[in-house]
Amino acid sequence: MTVIIMISAVNLYAQDTYNIRVHDPVVAKEGNTYYLFNTGKGIGVYTSKDLENWERAEAVFNEKPEWTDSVVPDFGNHIWAPDIIKKEDTWYLYYSVSAFAKNTSAIGVVTNKTLDPENDNYKWVDHGIVVQSVPDRDMWNAIDPNIIYDDNGTPWMSFGSFWNGLKMVKLAENLTEIAKPEEWRSIARRERSFELDNKDPGDAALEAPFIFKKDDWYYQFLSWDLCCRGEKSTYKVVVGRSKNATGPYVDKSGKPLNEGGGTLVLKGNENWYGAGHNSVYTFEGKDYMFFHAYDASDEGAPKLGIKEIEWVNGWPTVEPMK
């Protein structure tokens, strides 16, 4: 059954947040249609012609990828935090497989020639694991992928949450595996209590990097504090920038993101418990931030948010939550 959700223009300009439940939205445009991918059973999908009226579409995976039980036993096909890019004539959709608060995690990738289910070439082809984290081996977590090309045309994947911070790894040209020899970077971290067990996510609460090129700068957006906890969610978006895709990134005050820096972009209030896990795109000549926020009027349910970005002295700003 097709579910169509209508949002009025009045609501759009009143609060820039819509009454569809999503976590971790990313967006691509093909033809005259926007495709929104989000955390959900088999990767949730919505479509829109105008960023206002959204229609639920079929999930990417009707059944869980075959490899997922090797990472998370009895995986329930609830797939997290996708990211999507297009290279030449192929779409690459990255996704996260994990268990909550554990770094038994992996990032996979699935490809398609088109995003339109009515197109004869529509077929998702899974390529399996790109990168995997293992408890007690890795002090990082392989979730929340984001892909960026540097000025030399080299693809990099940033990812991560908690533990010892956010990481970046060079990808091979095929975009389905890590490049050899391996090249890794740390791109953001917060202070973690030393005495915590390695299996503990820890108290250095950061995740979900998203890197966006604007003029001569790369901007790393990331989320601080706690998601996914309803009224106890404290999510917020911060940012740093660098002349290089691989960093180092610094905030507006000059503090490195690798030393706990981050300039606040968006946070919650009495109406929205938290707002975070954002993505950023240019559509029709305007820059937009997509994110989710926890609705205080609906028991903390996660709702889609879209805000237009204004750039002030080289830094991104958005209107506060209302």
Side-chain angles (χ1 to χ4, degrees):
M1 181 179 69
T2 298
V3 178
I4 299 178
I5 301 172
M6 303 297 292
I7 317 296
S8 70
V10 173
N11 185 51
L12 168 63
Y13 294 109
Q15 59 186 22
D16 305 319
T17 304
Y18 309 131
N19 193 31
I20 59 174
R21 296 191 177 202
V22 300
H23 266 117
D24 317 326
V26 294
V27 181
K29 188 178 184 184
E30 185 178 68
N32 62 354
T33 302
Y34 297 94
Y35 295 85
L36 185 153
F37 299 88
N38 63 102
T39 291
K41 197 80 167 180
I43 307 177
V45 184
Y46 286 91
T47 64
S48 175
K49 300 295 186 182
D50 56 11
L51 298 180
E52 297 179 37
N53 306 300
W54 293 92
E55 180 177 338
R56 191 188 302 275
E58 184 178 354
V60 172
F61 291 104
N62 291 323
E63 298 181 358
K64 63 186 177 183
E66 294 181 358
W67 59 267
T68 56
D69 281 348
S70 68
V71 175
V72 180
D74 299 319
F75 184 64
N77 201 27
H78 185 73
I79 297 174
W80 298 354
D83 187 43
I84 187 164
I85 65 167
K86 189 176 187 181
K87 179 185 178 184
E88 299 172 350
D89 64 347
T90 302
W91 291 98
Y92 293 75
L93 181 66
Y94 298 82
Y95 59 94
S96 310
V97 169
S98 186
F100 195 76
K102 296 181 180 180
N103 65 338
T104 51
S105 308
I107 294 167
V109 63
V110 60
T111 58
N112 207 328
K113 294 297 183 180
T114 177
L115 302 180
D116 180 6
E118 303 301 318
N119 190 303
D120 290 342
N121 293 320
Y122 180 85
K123 181 182 180 180
W124 289 108
V125 178
D126 190 43
H127 300 271
I129 296 173
V130 180
V131 62
Q132 181 176 358
S133 56
V134 177
D136 274 339
R137 184 193 74 178
D138 304 311
M139 285 296 288
W140 43 268
N141 193 17
I143 66 170
D144 299 356
N146 175 243
I147 313 302
I148 186 73
Y149 278 87
D150 66 20
D151 290 334
N152 297 317
T154 301
W156 295 85
M157 174 190 286
S158 58
F159 63 90
S161 75
F162 286 73
W163 278 273
N164 276 347
L166 308 185
K167 306 299 180 182
M168 176 180 275
V169 65
K170 183 179 177 180
L171 293 182
E173 289 187 9
N174 62 15
L175 299 182
T176 62
E177 58 190 348
I178 295 174
K180 304 294 183 181
E182 295 185 9
E183 293 185 39
W184 293 77
R185 305 283 190 278
S186 290
I187 57 170
R189 62 164 64 95
R190 300 174 81 184
E191 186 175 357
R192 173 187 170 92
S193 295
F194 177 77
E195 67 275 9
L196 294 174
D197 186 271
N198 286 351
K199 293 181 180 179
D200 192 320
D203 47 5
L206 77 171
E207 59 190 10
F210 193 95
I211 299 174
F212 178 74
K213 180 75 179 295
K214 179 72 172 180
D215 298 327
D216 294 330
W217 293 96
Y218 291 90
Y219 293 83
Q220 182 192 164
F221 296 83
L222 62 152
S223 296
W224 278 3
D225 301 334
L226 302 178
C227 81
C228 318
R229 290 165 172 81
E231 65 181 15
K232 295 183 180 179
S233 300
T234 54
Y235 238 15
K236 56 184 64 69
V237 176
V238 300
V239 70
R241 70 182 187 180
S242 174
K243 290 289 188 179
N244 301 305
T246 55
Y249 289 86
V250 299
D251 67 14
K252 195 173 182 179
S253 72
K255 186 174 183 179
L257 266 57
N258 268 338
E259 298 177 11
T263 296
L264 182 67
V265 180
L266 185 67
K267 64 178 181 178
N269 57 20
E270 67 274 10
N271 297 319
W272 301 93
Y273 296 123
H277 204 118
N278 75 296
S279 56
V280 179
Y281 307 95
T282 303
F283 293 129
E284 308 302 326
K286 296 181 179 180
D287 297 332
Y288 293 96
M289 175 188 288
F290 294 77
F291 59 95
H292 70 256
Y294 298 95
D295 189 351
S297 68
D298 191 13
E299 300 180 338
K303 304 289 181 68
L304 172 65
I306 305 175
K307 289 183 178 291
E308 186 175 344
I309 297 175
E310 293 188 6
W311 299 87
V312 179
N313 298 322
W315 290 93
T317 64
V318 298
E319 289 293 322
M321 300 299 293
K322 298 181 179 179

